[in-house]
Amino acid sequence: MTQYIKNQILKYLSHFTVFALAVGLIFHSCELNADMKGAHHKPSKSKSKSSFKLPKPPKDSDYYEKGKPSSAKVELGRLLFFDKLLSGNQNISCATCHHPSAGSGDQLSLPIGEGGRSLGQERDTGEALGAVHELVPRNSPDIFNRGAKEFVSMFHDGRVENTSKKKKSIKTPAGKNLPRGLDNVLAAQALFPVTSATEMAGQSGENPIADLAAEEDFEGIWSALSDRLKSVPEYRLLFENAFPRIKKGKEEITFAHAGNAIAAFEAHAFRFDNSPFDEYLRGDENAITEDEKAGMTLFYGKAMCASCHSGPFMTDHQFHAMGMPQIGPGKGHGPGGREDFGRGGVTGRNRDRYKFRTPSLRNVALTGPWGHNGAFSDLKEVVIHQLDPIETLAYYDRNQPILPNRPDLNNMNWKVMDDALAVNQLAGACRVEPVVLDSLEIDQLVDFLYSLTDLRALDMMYIIPESVPSGLPVDD
């Protein structure tokens, strides 16, 4: 099954030459014999091979609205997701960095946000005064299955999160200025990329949205974007169809409505949770190969993967310091402002520095590059890193990231990794004991990860609309 999935991914991506080349290189590397990283360590104490129970496959009740949101809301959200009208300079959409042709990401280590041109690895950094000022500091996370209710925190650092299971109590950077009427934490997340200068708003002086973003005026941004949407007659009709209270004149169109629609679309369109592994969990012993079964046993036993990647969506939704190499412009943390403290930047606690949310591993073969900043473009290499983070951090291959080549941006990318003290602090925050696997076991573990791919996710091009109400282009 693993080889079949690899072949199907390559066949689909062959329509997108650059993506196919990158994924082909990743698959080629998976055929190599893995080095025994950490072999000089004494084996850590680990639980027996049955130490973690297998999860139950996902079901409709795991999702908001039992996985069946309003079709009118989904359609509105689809058009908003692909419409550049939501960006300050009207040159980038949500889909630019979360594209169906790129596993719901962009196939780059760090996104080329506002000011860039084209899609995926063909995207450039723009030109002249309109060029990007810096890369987006973190990797575009995949959005598979985010409509599941257990995803209570969003973004790599969890800065948008539902803090209470009993009631909607959503904590965000907007604080008390978060608009009312949001359906869930996924809808709240949709409100924030438009407020980022590097992602969608643009630079101060370029447009009114960018000026508001420079002042961190969230309410002003959302109000201005709502006005844009109201000015398009087709959007007014779509909002009325999706929200009865707007149609009855009891509510005005707000950006909270837009967030709710985008969340409904994402929850519906990017739900891919029926992999060969799920068929195995439902009782089909032949759904996965013997090597994939061996990898599964390692995953839920000796390799200790399930200590964090647990449950039906293979994440504990917690934050862990895994010694991931730090690349890119950073988040303004540390003495030089080029570090990324992750969860520590949200909580302000030193003990949370360099911790990032455990990613879901569903469809993981489609979602590279991997890591909160895309530090690894080879799935096997990121697995080896997780087994022994300190060892691999010390010998990190700087050819792994997929980044644009521009001298000023290149200069930013390696500031932290060139700072011995910063790297030492990064390593010191990691408390993971090394796990020793031999070459065959590592290959089997990677094989199991491929079995987590829902084959329907290999072709998501049907999701893309032919046009959007603003009339702005969709296919670039």
Side-chain angles (χ1 to χ4, degrees), residues 227-336:
D227 289 341
R228 276 191 188 178
L229 294 171
K230 292 175 190 176
S231 70
V232 181
E234 186 178 348
Y235 268 130
R236 291 196 65 88
L237 289 174
L238 288 163
F239 274 95
E240 289 175 1
N241 290 336
F243 299 98
R245 289 183 63 82
I246 293 177
K247 189 171 187 177
K248 294 177 182 178
K250 295 183 178 180
E251 291 180 355
E252 271 292 319
I253 295 172
T254 69
F255 208 68
H257 292 112
N260 288 337
I262 292 171
F265 163 70
E266 292 177 345
H268 174 75
F270 292 98
R271 179 182 173 181
F272 290 97
D273 58 4
N274 189 26
S275 67
F277 178 54
D278 294 297
E279 293 301 317
Y280 175 84
L281 293 175
R282 293 186 181 100
D284 184 355
E285 290 283 338
N286 297 318
I288 59 178
T289 67
E290 292 305 313
D291 279 336
E292 290 166 351
K293 289 176 185 176
M296 176 187 69
T297 299
L298 290 164
F299 187 96
Y300 288 99
K302 178 181 177 181
M304 300 293 288
C305 307
S307 61
C308 297
H309 295 285
S310 56
F313 295 96
M314 312 191 81
T315 171
D316 60 2
H317 302 285
Q318 299 301 308
F319 301 87
H320 304 281
M322 296 300 297
M324 193 65 65
Q326 293 232 337
I327 62 174
K331 292 286 286 185
H333 304 148

Side-chain angles (χ1 to χ4, degrees), residues 413-463:
N413 290 336
W414 302 106
K415 290 289 188 183
V416 175
M417 295 304 291
D418 287 335
D419 184 334
L421 178 59
V423 173
N424 187 55
Q425 290 175 335
L426 178 63
C430 181
R431 297 288 187 265
V432 178
E433 289 291 327
V435 174
V436 179
L437 299 182
D438 63 31
S439 300
L440 175 61
E441 289 174 319
I442 291 174
D443 286 339
Q444 291 171 333
L445 192 55
V446 174
D447 283 347
F448 172 63
L449 295 181
Y450 279 104
S451 78
L452 306 178
T453 307
D454 185 327
L455 299 183
R456 298 172 303 160
L458 298 180
D459 187 353
M460 298 185 286
M461 298 300 285
Y462 64 89
I463 294 173

Side-chain angles (χ1 to χ4, degrees), residues 374-439:
F376 291 93
S377 59
D378 185 315
L379 184 56
K380 177 177 285 185
E381 288 302 317
V382 76
V383 168
I384 292 172
H385 174 81
Q386 300 295 85
L387 294 172
D388 192 352
I390 306 304
E391 173 87 0
T392 53
L393 177 63
Y395 298 101
Y396 175 60
D397 178 5
R398 296 192 182 193
N399 292 314
Q400 280 286 318
I402 300 175
L403 298 165
N405 184 17
R406 205 178 86 185
D408 59 324
L409 299 179
N410 296 345
N411 187 48
M412 297 182 196
N413 290 336
W414 302 106
K415 290 289 188 183
V416 175
M417 295 304 291
D418 287 335
D419 184 334
L421 178 59
V423 173
N424 187 55
Q425 290 175 335
L426 178 63
C430 181
R431 297 288 187 265
V432 178
E433 289 291 327
V435 174
V436 179
L437 299 182
D438 63 31
S439 300

